[in-house]
Amino acid sequence: MIKVENVKKAFGPVTVLDGVNLVVNPGEVVSILGSSGSGKSTLIRCINGLEKLNAGRITVDDFDVSKPKDLAEARKRSGTVFQLFNLYPHMTALQNITLAPVEVLKRPRAEAEAEGRALLASVGLGDRADAYSSQLSGGQRQRVGICRALAMKPRYLLLDEVTSALDPEMTAEVLDILAKLAAGGTTMVFVTHEIEFARQISSRIVFLEKGKLLVDLPTAEFFAETGGLAQPRVAQFLSKMRKD
Amino acid sequence: MRYAEFTPFDLVLLAQGLGVTVGLFLATTLIGLFLGALWGVIRFYRTPVLTQFITFVAEILKNSPVLVQLFLVFFGFPAFFKLNMTPVNAAVITLSLNTAAFVYVIAVSSIESIGRDQVEAARVFGLTRWQVLRHVIAPQALAFSIGPLTALLVNQLQVTSLISVIGVMDLAKIGANLNLRTLQPFIVWTVVGVLYYLAAKLVATLGARLEKRLRAHSAFRGL
Ligand SMILES: Nc1ncnc2c1ncn2[C@@H]1O[C@H](COP(=O)(O)OP(=O)(O)OP(=O)(O)O)[C@@H](O)[C@H]1O
Ligand SMILES: [Mg+2]
């Protein structure tokens, strides 16, 4: 379980997260919606320990990300996929995937490589294991990014706008894979602007607005007139997103 | 010394001088690379006090003439601290520290040229700072820095000629001696110059080759 309790985060004078509470149970797909600057990325970065909290607590399976000695365990349980892929450019696709399993989990290299190849094959990149990031398309890079996170066998996948740097065709490639993962029971925290897709795969949808969690509802309720749509800000946001 | 013709033995002298120059260059390069990289790592770990101290020392070494540093190490410190200092030791100390200072600057700028996103991409998967440095930062920083490092070393090779003024029998000193003996400055300094050139060219070629290998993943193919 990922538990975000009353988290506050400010950059200098700017409060970005203002008392956020969120629980993600194993098996759930929770999508985070919200306009640009509402604090979605910051929330993800707090969960994986890239930002220090000003107040509140975040635990991943009871490991407190603010405690240095817990952070390593917390990080082993969550895998992050980045908006701009952040692949290591000096390593091949396969090396990108095996680095953390070998170094952090101390897996034997041959085993890690066999698993890495299987992961690449499962996302349709079986023949690109030895390609460098500069030799891959955006969609291919992001698929490698997803494999890199999955190779750590995380219990939770954190995804921050993983398709927003991709064109529609490449977006579809990546979303396909995420849909399969969701169907397979992978727990995900999914920041996105792909409303329709979020609607298809999410068990719950939360809406962030100016650092506050305005709405946290099961998907069907979120899109119901009496549920999420009853919130003017949500209705406004959704109608704007659909127009774009 | 009376003036005399060239003898075949002069070739041996030149070879010896070249050997001393190359030897000192290699020794001070190894020490300088090691020290400069170590200082860079200390900075990467944001070690307080030590980092500021290193930056300060590097600043002084970069911004004062090597010749003055050499005189300070050879004449100044021994006189002040009552030490013994041989010319070779003074040369090794001065040139190593000088190389280290510039290696440090190159290391820092190439580490900093690697985006924060690379560090984060590795840290979120639980790699320790050392593992991030070893597997993600250092290989990329090295690929970035080979160009400037090669330029630095080519320059440091020429700078070794300064040590002839404190009496080290390097290529420049042998040249000076031959010149005094034969009174043939054109021939002597041309030969010495060509030898320096060939040594420098070798360094540059090796550097370019290494760079090509290390940057294979991001071969720059022009605009
Ligand atoms: N390192 C930082 N320093 C200062 N301000 C920051 C920093 N990171 C984020 N912010 C600010 O925090 C606010 C929230 O940023 P965040 O990236 O979390 O928004 P977001 O919801 O992910 O937006 P988007 O949809 O555009 O990705 C923004 O106003 C941003 O300018
Ligand atoms: Mg964002």
Side-chain angles (χ1 to χ4, degrees), chain A residues 45 87 89-91 103 134, chain B residues 118 120-121 131 135 140 217:
Chain A
R45 292 170 58 80
L87 296 184
H90 61 299
M91 293 186 187
E103 293 299 322
S134 60
Chain B
Q118 286 288 308
E120 292 184 345
Q131 288 170 328
H135 296 287
Q140 296 186 62
H217 62 87

Side-chain angles (χ1 to χ4, degrees), chain A residues 147-169:
Chain A
C147 292
R148 178 172 67 175
L150 291 176
M152 293 296 282
K153 303 200 169 71
R155 306 182 69 173
Y156 310 97
L157 212 48
L158 309 177
L159 306 118
D160 186 4
E161 296 197 43
V162 295
T163 60
S164 63
L166 303 177
D167 69 25
E169 196 180 338

Side-chain angles (χ1 to χ4, degrees), chain A residues 35-42 45 83 160-161 164 191 193:
Chain A
S35 45
S36 184
S38 57
K40 306 181 296 294
S41 297
T42 307
R45 292 170 58 80
Q83 180 172 10
D160 186 4
E161 296 197 43
S164 63
V191 172
H193 288 293

Side-chain angles (χ1 to χ4, degrees), chain A residues 65-86:
Chain A
V65 300
S66 301
K67 294 194 181 136
K69 67 174 177 12
D70 277 16
L71 181 58
E73 269 309 313
R75 278 179 165 162
K76 273 187 207 161
R77 281 146 207 271
S78 67
T80 302
V81 183
F82 296 88
Q83 180 172 10
L84 298 176
F85 331 127
N86 295 11

Side-chain angles (χ1 to χ4, degrees), chain A residues 18-39:
Chain A
D18 193 4
V20 172
N21 289 289
L22 178 68
V23 172
V24 179
N25 290 301
E28 282 189 308
V29 174
V30 176
S31 286
I32 303 180
L33 306 184
S35 45
S36 184
S38 57

Side-chain angles (χ1 to χ4, degrees), chain B residues 1-7 10 178 180-184:
Chain B
M1 198 188 299
R2 267 194 56 220
Y3 125 90
E5 287 294 322
F6 287 114
T7 72
D10 295 344
L178 285 179
L180 283 177
R181 208 191 73 218
T182 60
L183 299 181
Q184 295 273 17

